Amino acid sequence: MHSMDNLEKLKTLGELSPKTTNAFWAFDRLALADGAIPKKYKELMAIAVALTTQCVYCIEVHRKAALEAGASPTELAEVIHVAAALRAGAAITHGTHLLSSD
């Protein structure tokens, strides 16, 4: 079901809705470009978000971009744990809703 080949269909999306698609890609490029936060760190953040949203496409695209931006395998490993901690933390904190005094 999840094949990186599906990303080739983005060209069709661009043909069907060029203004919106081009605006999205321009925003995406700017959001991930070097700025106050270096590109490498932005790509590592993107991986953490992709792991929590479980987007296989984003995980792979941003893994490659992070490596190209100089991320190390150790940094990728730490990102995995950051994402896991946040997902687990969300389950714990949302679980407090179950602990009512009713």
Side-chain angles (χ1 to χ4, degrees), residues 59-79:
I59 292 167
E60 181 59 16
V61 166
H62 293 289
R63 179 193 69 83
K64 286 181 180 178
L67 291 171
E68 288 173 8
S72 69
T74 303
E75 288 172 319
L76 294 177
E78 287 189 17
V79 165

Side-chain angles (χ1 to χ4, degrees), residues 7-98:
L7 297 182
E8 293 173 16
K9 296 174 186 174
L10 291 172
K11 180 181 177 187
T12 302
L13 178 62
E15 292 166 354
L16 295 171
S17 182
K19 283 184 175 180
T20 307
T21 302
N22 290 335
F24 169 77
W25 290 122
F27 171 74
D28 186 70
R29 280 189 300 279
L30 288 171
L32 291 163
D34 269 321
I37 300 170
K39 181 166 180 55
K40 178 175 95 168
Y41 299 129
K42 289 181 178 185
E43 292 298 346
L44 291 170
M45 288 189 291
I47 292 169
V49 171
L51 288 168
T52 59
T53 61
Q54 299 181 334
C55 176
V56 296
Y57 304 107
C58 292
I59 292 167
E60 181 59 16
V61 166
H62 293 289
R63 179 193 69 83
K64 286 181 180 178
L67 291 171
E68 288 173 8
S72 69
T74 303
E75 288 172 319
L76 294 177
E78 287 189 17
V79 165
I80 294 167
H81 290 292
V82 168
L86 289 171
R87 282 185 65 101
I92 295 292
T93 56
H94 280 85
T96 62
H97 296 275
L98 302 174

